[in-house]
Amino acid sequence: MISTAISKGNYVYVYDEHNRLIETLSGELYGYTSTTCSVKRGNFIYTYDENRHLVSTRRI
C-alpha cells in the first residue's frame, strides 16, 4: 500500500505504510492514491501501481 509520495527535484519518492521507500520515479508528481502513483513527464502522465508496474499512460 502507498502511504505517501513526495516530490524532490525531478524525482518522486513513494513510501509504504511503514515509511519504507518502495519506489523512485523520475518526473513531476501528478497525484497518488493508496494503490497508484502518477507522474508527469513531458506531455504524458504515467501511472504505476504499488508493485512498480506501469498501469496506464495518457497524453495531456
Side-chain angles (χ1 to χ4, degrees):
M1 177 178 347
I2 295 172
S3 174
T4 190
I6 299 170
S7 182
K8 293 181 185 176
N10 291 326
Y11 292 95
V12 176
Y13 299 89
V14 183
Y15 297 89
D16 68 9
E17 63 274 13
H18 302 290
N19 290 324
R20 290 182 295 217
L21 181 65
I22 55 174
E23 60 185 306
T24 303
L25 304 168
S26 64
E28 177 184 340
L29 180 62
Y30 191 76
Y32 70 95
T33 67
S34 63
T35 58
T36 63
C37 183
S38 298
V39 294
K40 180 179 180 239
R41 278 184 252 150
N43 292 328
F44 291 90
I45 302 296
Y46 298 90
T47 302
Y48 297 88
D49 67 13
E50 61 212 294
N51 297 313
R52 303 181 77 179
H53 297 117
L54 182 63
V55 177
S56 69
T57 305
R58 316 181 269 178
R59 186 179 179 104
I60 56 170

